Amino acid sequence: MTPELVTELGSGRTMPRQRAQTSTWAADEAVTRLFAAHYRPLVRLATLLLREPGMAEEIVQDAYVALHSRWWRLRDADKALGYLRVTVVNRCRSAIRHRRVVQAHLAAARPDPDAPSAEAGALDQLRHADVITALRALPPRQREAIVLRYYADLSEAQIADAMGVSRGAVKSHTARGIAALRTSLDGL
Amino acid sequence: MDTDDNLPGDARAAALLRRALHTEADRVDVRPDGLTAIRGKIDARRRRRMPAVLLGAAAATVAASLVGVVGCLPPAPQPGPPSGAASVGPAPP
């Protein structure tokens, strides 16, 4: 019988489904195995949402700790990945909200450290930087929808689960995000 | 996946976004000690919860002991008619 396949986050590669074995994993083993399979792409996903790699790693690590305490209820690699994704997206959203509150209280405006300089180098790097800069300027929900779709390669249903919204809302966020990026993308 | 990527403009935008996002993601250096950090946090959480767990176990033990002790006690005497003066029936002539 052909084994069912699941898609690895961020790479588009497929792997054999591990449902049969995962039900027997202890929480510690589950964390170890899910770390090997998904930690790096989840950190990258969180970094794309947050812009702060250090905080992104903290958030992903905390998501694994939360997974460990709930493993007795999940006991399934697919559910666990879904749980990790939802936790990471929600915590990134909270962190962004918190950061905005903090920044609103800062009197002095800081220059954006990641803003591309005029001497940024090759044209490709400028184009890439423009896209990323435009993406970062999007409202959080639109950015989440676009990152989950175009980086994590998730379906609309999976994005809806990860964001805790309906599929219609995913379509709406994605379309609005793309429309907002259009100005940057059309010039490239 | 439900996408509109087959439209010319959207396909181009999608390709550009995918490339930019993957290039940006590949720049992220992931620390090699992530699993150690996670295990440390799990252990710290266990230690924080240990007093509550011990307290709960102690309370459960005490409760179980009380139930056992109460179960072993002889049944309480049933309240009956007071002895002596409570004779019922006609008085002797």
Side-chain angles (χ1 to χ4, degrees):
Chain A
M1 192 177 77
T2 307
E4 270 189 280
L5 299 174
V6 291
T7 304
E8 187 185 29
L9 182 71
S11 72
R13 288 179 304 198
T14 52
M15 305 179 297
R17 186 184 291 273
Q18 296 176 311
R19 192 187 300 274
Q21 299 119 320
T22 55
S23 61
T24 61
W25 291 350
D28 289 341
E29 186 184 4
V31 165
T32 304
R33 289 177 182 257
L34 292 166
F35 175 91
H38 304 297
Y39 181 76
R40 186 179 293 268
L42 282 169
V43 169
R44 289 176 167 169
L45 171 70
T47 306
L48 289 173
L49 296 175
L50 269 180
R51 299 172 55 185
E52 291 181 43
M55 187 185 283
E57 285 221 37
E58 285 287 320
I59 283 174
V60 175
Q61 288 171 7
D62 289 346
Y64 274 87
V65 174
L67 171 87
H68 182 273
S69 67
R70 283 166 183 76
W71 179 249
W72 62 276
R73 260 194 292 179
L74 295 166
R75 293 191 166 277
D76 181 289
D78 283 353
K79 284 185 190 167
L81 177 57
Y83 175 83
L84 286 170
R85 219 185 267 139
V86 169
T87 308
V88 167
V89 170
N90 283 340
R91 291 183 183 211
C92 284
R93 200 179 290 159
S94 300
I96 290 168
R97 213 177 292 131
H98 178 257
R99 188 168 60 194
R100 281 184 177 167
V101 171
V102 170
Q103 284 174 345
H105 285 84
L106 290 176
R110 292 175 303 191
D112 185 347
D114 293 338
S117 70
E119 304 82 29
L123 187 59
D124 275 353
Q125 284 178 323
L126 276 173
R127 286 174 175 172
H128 163 80
D130 282 344
V131 173
I132 297 300
T133 303
L135 187 76
R136 286 173 177 165
L138 292 179
R141 298 289 178 126
Q142 292 177 17
R143 186 167 58 243
E144 284 169 19
I146 286 177
V147 169
L148 289 169
R149 177 161 159 185
Y150 295 108
Y151 170 66
D153 282 323
L154 301 186
S155 68
E156 268 178 11
Q158 289 172 316
I159 297 171
D161 284 344
M163 292 178 64
V165 297
S166 68
R167 290 179 65 173
V170 170
K171 276 187 181 174
S172 168
H173 287 311
T174 308
R176 287 181 187 178
I178 292 286
L181 290 173
R182 184 73 72 186
T183 310
S184 302
L185 301 177
D186 277 353
L188 303 178
Chain B
M1 184 163 55
D2 309 296
T3 70
D4 296 323
D5 292 355
N6 51 345
L7 301 174
D10 288 328
R12 187 164 166 269
L16 190 56
L17 269 172
R18 284 203 174 90
R19 203 166 52 242
L21 285 169
H22 280 272
T23 305
E24 185 72 6
D26 288 344
R27 287 182 179 173
V28 176
D29 288 325
V30 179
R31 292 202 304 258
D33 60 345
L35 186 56
T36 308
I38 291 168
R39 286 179 177 151
K41 288 181 180 198
I42 290 171
D43 286 343
R45 188 187 178 111
R46 277 185 184 136
R47 279 195 299 275
R48 275 199 310 275
R49 290 186 166 192
M50 193 56 77
V53 170
L54 289 176
L55 200 64
T61 306
V62 169
S65 303
L66 283 175
V67 168
V69 167
V70 169
C72 291
L73 287 176
Q78 295 294 319
S83 59
S87 56
V88 179

